[in-house]
Amino acid sequence: MSFSGGRNGASAAHGRSSLKAIDSRNSTFHKPAHSSSPSSSSSSASSSFKSKTLHGSSSRKIATKDGGGVPGRVRVAVRLRPRNAEEMEADADFAECVELQPELKRLKLRKNNWDTDTYEFDEVLTEFASQKRVYEVVAKPVVESILEGYNGTIMAYGQTGTGKTYTLGRLGGEDPAARGIMVRAMEEILAEVSWETDSVCVSYLQLYMETIQDLLDPSNDNISIVEDPKTGDVSLPGATLVEIREQNNFIELLRLGEAHRFAANTKLNTESSRSHAILMVQVTRSMNERSFPYITENGGNSFLSKNIKPPIVRKGKLVVVDLAGSERIDKSGSEGHALEEAKSINLSLSALGKCINALAENSAHVPVRDSKLTRLLKDSFGGTARTSLVVTIGPSPRHRGETMSTIMFGQRAMKVENMLKLKEEFDYKSLSRRLEVQLHKLVEDNERQQKAFEEEIERVQVEAENRISETERKFTDALEKERLKCQKNYMESIKKLEEELLVSQGKNGSAVMAVSPKESLSKREASSITSSEEISNLKKSLEKETLLKRSADEDVTNLRKQLSQSRLLESSATSEILRLRQLLENESRQKEKLEGEITTLQSQLLQLSFDADETRRRLDGGGSAYVPEGLESATLQVRHSEHNEPEDGEKASVAKLSEQVGLHKILSLLEADDADVRIHAVKVVANLAAEEANQEKIVEAGGLMSLLNLLRNLEDETVHRVAAGAIANLAMNEVNQELIMAQGGIRLLSTTAANAEDPQTLRMIAGAIANLCGNDKLQMKLRAEGGIKALLGMVRCGHPDVLAQVARGIANFAKCESRASAQGMKSGRSLLIDDGALPWIVQNASTEASAIRRHIELALCHLAQHDVNARDMINCGALLELVRVSRDCTREDIRLLARRTLSSCPAFRTELRRLRIDY
Ligand code: ADP
Ligand code: MG
């Protein structure tokens, strides 16, 4: 591809120079990162900025979970300002110094009357380009990315008067078509976000002479940049942050900012063209509804799904930068500034140029830290943001030099490759809130059900008892009645029979005595006739009696039947009661199960709070959850900073939970069969152990023993890490230190350390041993059981946090030794030297990591206190380190201690004289 044969009829010489320009551009396109980028193709003349950049669903798909990112080159557009009235007049006779070929995305810069250079950009915007089109090709893809949760930067670079502020900052009050990028971007953001779940906050700042001023609060005129040491993210916590809900408020804010900028510049005797204006828009969007499948309803019972996922928030930050004019200012101070000031004015802009050069050339060192602007834009160039740059130029041939340098800046910026990363976080707080609500609901439902069942059982029982006693009463009445009736009948019949018998006997006797035989015979005949009548009468009444008795028997049988029926009834009522009892038992089993679930929920909630704690601490750059900082740690505790109220709230909920569930129960879970439960339990115990108030209770309840057993019996590294952290915290207390030693803690910790891979596990173990090192009474035992060797063994991992704990342990040990020597309780060489600690001490004495160095310096001073160590210290170079400490240590007390030690030890004095070193 050759551009040399331009329509200017270029000479061979000019052809070469044109090719050079194109080549440099071409090399931009052939960088490997570009070819892998979906946005690298620029062949289609009609494709816009937008269509070439990565946005929409594809970016979400690629750049999520793995924490990686997608390549996204800095996109650069060039915009030409129309001639103004003055130029119309003054340059009327001259051709413009640039010629644009927007359809080819090319710009030709006239070198002189016969020679031009050609440059290619991502977009070429002519003097006729509307503000709407400029927004669409330069800003819209960036704004869309912000809404998806990426960071983004839109920046204008160019000579004063070429239209940077026109492009970015026009409010368009008088003419809506004139609205600039800031106004249009906010319109698009506000149209897209939802007020229930999302928020939009704005800061507006000015950077002038390496000072950041708050344009929303002029009294706030020296804002500092804060950098997260872990993630490297920069922020301006001191800047005013205003939540925006309506476009009008935003316009008002921009107006206010502009007014303050004008006032500030008047006061500083400068113009806005010398300062950088920076607008920051933080868009936070909650992904809640899309990712919260944690509870399923199942016939009135809730079951936890195994994988609770907290809701997710995405935080995209848009930075819009209206840079100071790129023209060189006269360093002699023609604007009334001294030379130093003039340098300072230019510092940020020239540092930006240097960084972009370094990035474009893939240089190993990018001097980001040279200026505030480059620190602020760390993420925009070579970082994780999507960045669009618009370089503005004027048409006048009088400013050809400046135009040229602006174009070259743009060309270099096109080579900068960023790695776009989704800014996504878990929203633990809202998950915790929702779980808590769910938990309360479960508890209440359960209570209501329980109460209703108890009432039902009572009702059925009373009813059955009433029925039984009623039946019994009826039965007894009927029986009694029947018995009386039978008795009466019977008595009556007997009476009758007796009477009849008497009557018949009386008749027979008198007849025998008073009549003659004949009479007697005839009488006898007659009487025998009456007797036989009576007999038949008697027979009749006997039959009647028999009948009566039979009917009475039947009645009795009937009553018996009734009795057995009511017995049956009674037994069915009893079985009903039994059934209900069964139901009640089932219910209470169900209740127990629910309570179990609640405990699980609580422990998972706790786990989440714990994770959230850790995450937050990591984000805040705070150190350990378990191992305290500082040398005199035997009395130190990890404390949360006071402003961190939600954490206190979570701590309180852990404490409350431990009250509810009971410490013994939690400790018993340490031996649970289920690995998940064990991990949760040990995390809970670790969290409790971080609070001094709980430590005694934990030890009393046998927690220390259980934690040591975990190290002894399990091989899970997470368990080891958390258990060691808990032990480290318990090891802050002198009584516990003795207990740990007595239970073989040193050997256990050493073995665990020898097998551990994770630096955090090693950090916890080193922290625990370091605490034990500070106990005067345990020195000999600790050393005998290999404590010092274990500490030195851990330096193999090289992690600074681990090294800091090792150094702290050594310093603690050395301090105890020097105390014992001073009290005449110890003679002979330091055990640290015996165990070979000295070479490591010397090797790390001048490390850059202050957390390590501080301890080592102190250890050196303590070792040097005792003359018997002097020879070894001289032999392995520790003396020279001590001299350095006496000169350079930032802590005055240590410096003085080192100096005193040097002058009080005769062996050191002699050696220093020999080496001709003054101290
Ligand atoms: P800078 O911020 O780069 O110093 P300005 O944005 O203040 O430049 O523009 C300088 C002048 O040029 C202003 O009067 C502005 O209205 C005018 N101007 C800049 N760009 C354009 C454009 N594309 N169309 C019309 N006028 C423009
Ligand atoms: Mg301006």
Side-chain angles (χ1 to χ4, degrees):
M1 177 161 67
S2 164
F3 294 91
S4 57
R7 20 172 207 168
N8 308 336
S11 68
H14 118 249
R16 260 197 305 282
S17 81
S18 300
L19 262 177
K20 216 167 89 202
I22 294 288
D23 282 349
S24 74
R25 178 260 314 152
N26 276 346
S27 73
T28 306
F29 287 98
H30 289 120
K31 269 167 53 179
H34 290 174
S35 50
S36 68
S37 159
S39 52
S40 62
S41 154
S42 64
S43 56
S44 155
S46 63
S47 65
S48 71
F49 232 43
K50 178 184 166 184
S51 64
K52 286 194 272 173
T53 48
L54 188 104
H55 63 281
S57 55
S58 59
S59 65
R60 189 176 308 146
K61 210 158 53 204
I62 301 167
T64 45
K65 303 285 175 237
D66 57 0
V70 283
R73 180 170 60 74
V74 171
R75 319 295 298 183
V76 182
V78 60
R79 185 182 197 185
L80 176 66
R81 172 176 57 67
R83 279 188 181 195
N84 57 28
E86 185 208 330
E87 284 162 345
M88 295 270 195
E89 204 168 308
D91 302 338
D93 299 335
F94 299 94
E96 289 184 350
C97 77
V98 291
E99 180 196 330
L100 303 186
Q101 297 177 318
E103 65 291 350
L104 295 175
K105 301 188 190 304
R106 269 179 214 154
L107 174 150
K108 293 191 168 196
L109 180 66
R110 194 184 301 281
K111 286 171 84 176
N112 46 48
N113 277 342
W114 60 88
D115 204 357
T116 61
D117 279 340
T118 305
Y119 301 93
E120 194 161 311
F121 282 92
D122 289 306
E123 198 65 44
V124 169
L125 299 159
T126 67
E127 63 267 51
F128 308 112
S130 66
Q131 291 278 77
K132 180 165 188 280
R133 168 137 177 87
V134 174
Y135 173 76
E136 274 165 5
V137 299
V138 174
K140 196 173 170 69
V142 179
V143 173
E144 282 172 351
S145 290
I146 305 298
L147 288 166
E148 281 170 10
Y150 294 86
N151 285 346
T153 311
I154 302 166
M155 191 167 90
Y157 180 96
Q159 189 187 354
T160 299
T162 50
K164 295 183 295 298
T165 307
Y166 184 90
T167 302
L168 296 178
R170 279 291 288 263
L171 301 182
E174 67 299 338
D175 171 15
R179 285 166 304 153
I181 282 176
M182 288 179 182
V183 174
R184 287 174 196 261
M186 185 54 80
E187 271 167 9
E188 181 160 359
I189 289 171
L190 291 179
E192 200 61 26
V193 297
S194 126
W195 294 128
E196 284 95 65
T197 51
D198 308 338
S199 76
V200 180
C201 292
V202 164
S203 302
Y204 197 17
L205 310 142
Q206 165 169 283
L207 172 58
Y208 176 64
M209 286 195 34
E210 295 307 286
T211 308
I212 301 176
Q213 301 151 349
D214 193 341
L215 289 178
L216 303 180
D217 175 10
S219 64
N220 198 2
D221 61 2
N222 193 3
I223 295 174
S224 45
I225 301 175
V226 175
E227 213 162 311
D228 185 321
K230 289 250 165 66
T231 62
D233 287 346
V234 291
S235 58
L236 301 171
T240 306
L241 202 63
V242 179
E243 180 161 10
I244 300 290
R245 290 195 160 219
E246 289 190 23
Q247 183 69 9
N248 286 345
N249 298 353
F250 179 61
I251 303 274
E252 275 315 304
L253 217 80
L254 288 182
R255 274 212 181 95
L256 181 77
E258 240 6 88
H260 287 153
R261 196 174 178 203
F262 180 77
N265 289 325
T266 310
K267 193 167 128 203
L268 293 167
N269 190 22
T270 176
E271 324 156 31
S272 61
S273 67
R274 293 272 141 258
S275 66
H276 313 280
I278 302 161
L279 176 77
M280 290 187 176
V281 184
Q282 178 77 56
V283 180
T284 306
R285 308 190 78 187
S286 167
M287 312 303 289
N288 257 10
E289 304 317 321
R290 279 150 274 183
S291 57
F292 199 74
Y294 74 103
I295 276 180
T296 54
E297 285 295 319
N298 186 348
N301 288 335
S302 305
F303 294 103
L304 267 181
S305 74
K306 272 257 166 194
N307 48 355
I308 288 185
K309 282 225 179 74
I312 287 170
V313 284
R314 291 191 176 163
K315 294 183 171 173
K317 188 164 81 177
L318 172 65
V319 182
V320 184
V321 190
D322 186 354
L323 288 174
S326 62
E327 63 279 4
R328 315 230 162 276
I329 60 161
D330 185 352
K331 289 201 174 154
S332 66
S334 65
E335 288 190 8
H337 291 285
L339 185 56
E340 278 313 303
E341 276 178 298
K343 270 191 208 155
S344 184
I345 289 171
N346 257 344
L347 181 72
S348 270
L349 206 56
S350 59
L352 178 65
K354 282 182 200 154
C355 284
I356 286 181
N357 283 351
L359 286 163
E361 284 156 20
N362 267 334
S363 193
H365 176 65
V366 181
V368 171
R369 310 198 62 81
D370 283 6
S371 78
K372 293 218 164 138
L373 182 65
T374 46
R375 286 175 67 197
L376 273 178
L377 295 178
K378 194 167 154 238
D379 198 37
S380 310
F381 292 94
T384 67
R386 177 188 295 292
T387 297
S388 266
L389 171 68
V390 52
V391 295
T392 55
I393 54 174
S396 169
R398 283 174 296 158
H399 298 303
R400 203 191 151 279
E402 295 297 348
T403 303
M404 172 79 185
S405 95
T406 300
I407 286 169
M408 291 320 292
F409 181 88
Q411 290 285 299
R412 283 190 294 270
M414 278 174 81
K415 295 186 190 173
V416 177
E417 189 79 45
N418 287 359
M419 239 347 160
L420 310 189
K421 260 195 200 154
L422 198 56
K423 305 291 175 184
E424 194 169 69
E425 298 173 1
F426 287 133
D427 188 356
Y428 285 107
K429 264 188 213 140
S430 99
L431 172 66
S432 164
R433 269 196 306 276
R434 293 179 73 161
L435 279 177
E436 214 152 346
V437 170
Q438 192 73 20
L439 186 65
H440 287 308
K441 193 172 156 293
L442 277 174
V443 170
E444 280 173 11
D445 283 355
N446 181 256
E447 232 184 355
R448 271 194 289 271
Q449 273 179 19
Q450 173 86 5
K451 188 90 183 70
F453 262 104
E454 278 167 6
E455 281 169 9
E456 177 67 7
I457 296 280
E458 201 161 315
R459 193 186 62 72
V460 171
Q461 205 159 2
V462 167
E463 204 170 87
E465 275 165 11
N466 285 345
R467 255 158 59 193
I468 291 169
S469 59
E470 174 75 358
T471 318
E472 272 174 356
R473 194 178 51 71
K474 269 190 195 152
F475 176 70
T476 328
D477 285 358
L479 200 63
E480 183 64 21
K481 234 188 202 155
E482 205 51 39
R483 196 181 61 80
L484 287 174
K485 198 172 134 201
C486 285
Q487 206 170 15
K488 198 173 146 213
N489 287 347
Y490 183 70
M491 295 307 283
E492 272 171 9
S493 335
I494 296 289
K495 213 167 144 194
K496 228 183 206 165
L497 280 174
E498 274 174 358
E499 275 169 18
E500 280 170 13
L501 190 65
L502 271 179
V503 169
S504 77
Q505 273 174 358
K507 273 182 190 164
N508 289 346
S510 60
V512 171
M513 283 182 286
V515 289
S516 62
K518 204 178 161 188
E519 273 175 328
S520 163
L521 185 70
S522 63
K523 273 187 187 166
R524 216 176 270 171
E525 279 169 355
S527 122
S528 97
I529 291 163
T530 27
S531 275
S532 58
E533 271 173 14
E534 277 170 3
I535 285 170
S536 74
N537 275 349
L538 267 173
K539 267 186 187 156
K540 268 185 205 151
S541 57
L542 194 62
E543 272 166 14
K544 206 173 137 198
E545 258 341 283
T546 318
L547 273 173
L548 265 171
K549 175 144 190 310
R550 203 173 289 149
S551 93
D553 281 352
E554 268 171 17
D555 279 358
V556 170
T557 324
N558 275 343
L559 283 168
R560 286 242 160 83
K561 259 191 210 146
Q562 273 183 29
L563 179 62
S564 69
Q565 254 170 17
S566 65
R567 286 245 161 84
L568 257 163
L569 250 169
E570 187 188 337
S571 78
S572 89
T574 322
S575 75
E576 173 73 8
I577 289 175
L578 275 177
R579 197 181 62 77
L580 287 167
R581 286 244 160 82
Q582 193 93 40
L583 253 162
L584 182 62
E585 266 167 29
N586 284 346
E587 258 336 290
S588 18
R589 266 200 293 280
Q590 187 68 27
K591 184 189 161 205
E592 261 169 35
K593 204 166 123 201
L594 279 169
E595 277 169 356
E597 265 177 38
I598 290 170
T599 317
T600 319
L601 257 171
Q602 282 172 330
S603 91
Q604 298 206 7
L605 173 61
L606 201 70
Q607 162 70 32
L608 285 166
S609 323
F610 177 85
D611 288 349
D613 272 7
E614 262 196 343
T615 311
R616 189 169 312 113
R617 236 172 257 125
R618 241 178 276 130
L619 287 175
D620 295 351
S624 153
Y626 313 111
V627 183
E629 293 287 313
L631 193 59
E632 295 79 16
S633 66
T635 54
L636 278 186
Q637 253 292 348
V638 178
R639 293 266 178 256
H640 298 299
S641 50
E642 274 141 33
H643 62 267
N644 222 343
E645 272 180 44
E647 271 188 23
D648 287 349
E650 277 156 22
K651 276 276 163 296
S653 81
V654 174
K656 207 171 108 206
L657 178 72
S658 93
E659 253 170 47
Q660 283 171 2
V661 179
L663 188 57
H664 283 279
K665 170 93 182 146
I666 294 176
L667 290 176
S668 75
L669 291 177
L670 290 178
E671 279 142 44
D673 291 334
D674 183 338
D676 276 355
V677 175
R678 266 193 326 255
I679 287 187
H680 285 167
V682 70
K683 286 183 177 178
V684 175
V685 175
N687 244 337
L688 289 171
E691 294 292 315
E692 200 175 340
N694 299 328
Q695 291 176 352
E696 198 179 323
K697 278 186 236 153
I698 293 175
V699 175
E700 262 174 20
L704 179 57
M705 192 72 146
S706 307
L707 289 166
L708 289 168
N709 277 340
L710 290 180
L711 295 187
R712 189 173 287 130
N713 302 330
L714 295 182
E715 287 183 353
D716 182 324
E717 177 115 24
T718 309
V719 172
H720 281 184
R721 169 168 57 78
V722 184
I727 294 169
N729 268 334
L730 295 178
M732 286 185 288
N733 162 313
E734 216 175 302
V735 179
N736 295 347
Q737 288 169 353
E738 284 167 23
L739 277 173
I740 292 172
M741 294 292 286
Q743 292 176 9
I746 282 293
R747 285 198 202 290
L748 262 177
L749 289 167
S750 309
T751 323
T752 314
N755 297 327
E757 298 282 333
D758 180 358
Q760 293 312 318
T761 312
L762 292 173
R763 178 167 69 108
M764 301 301 174
I765 296 172
I769 299 183
N771 284 347
L772 297 171
C773 283
N775 188 321
D776 295 295
K777 286 183 253 168
L778 304 175
Q779 295 261 290
M780 299 303 288
K781 190 158 192 250
L782 184 124
R783 191 259 175 159
E785 295 192 355
I788 299 171
K789 290 241 151 85
L791 270 184
L792 291 170
M794 280 184 263
V795 305
R796 75 184 139 87
C797 100
H799 193 288
D801 290 351
V802 179
L803 299 190
Q805 293 304 329
V806 172
R808 183 165 73 79
I810 288 178
N812 275 354
F813 199 93
K815 185 171 75 177
C816 290
E817 273 194 335
S818 84
R819 203 149 49 202
S821 298
Q823 293 165 357
M825 282 155 54
K826 178 181 185 320
S827 58
R829 204 163 71 145
S830 161
L831 298 176
L832 287 169
I833 298 180
D834 287 350
D835 275 2
L838 213 41
W840 184 77
I841 292 178
V842 172
Q843 193 186 331
N844 286 277
S846 52
T847 172
E848 295 212 331
S850 67
I852 306 171
R853 197 181 58 239
R854 186 157 55 92
H855 294 308
I856 293 188
E857 287 171 344
L858 207 52
L860 274 172
C861 289
H862 284 304
L863 285 173
Q865 297 287 308
H866 207 43
D867 293 355
V868 73
N869 297 329
R871 193 39 45 206
D872 291 284
M873 292 187 70
I874 291 169
N875 288 346
C876 73
L879 174 59
L880 296 180
E881 290 303 331
L882 199 59
V883 172
R884 188 191 55 72
V885 173
S886 74
R887 286 176 182 158
D888 304 341
C889 180
T890 48
R891 270 180 59 177
E892 195 184 359
D893 51 344
I894 299 183
R895 218 165 49 231
L896 288 176
L897 183 60
R899 213 169 286 163
R900 253 203 329 273
T901 315
L902 282 174
S903 58
S904 68
C905 170
F908 286 162
R909 279 208 309 268
T910 315
E911 177 69 9
L912 289 173
R913 258 199 308 281
R914 193 180 72 75
L915 295 171
R916 296 180 204 287
I917 292 175
D918 290 335
Y919 54 89

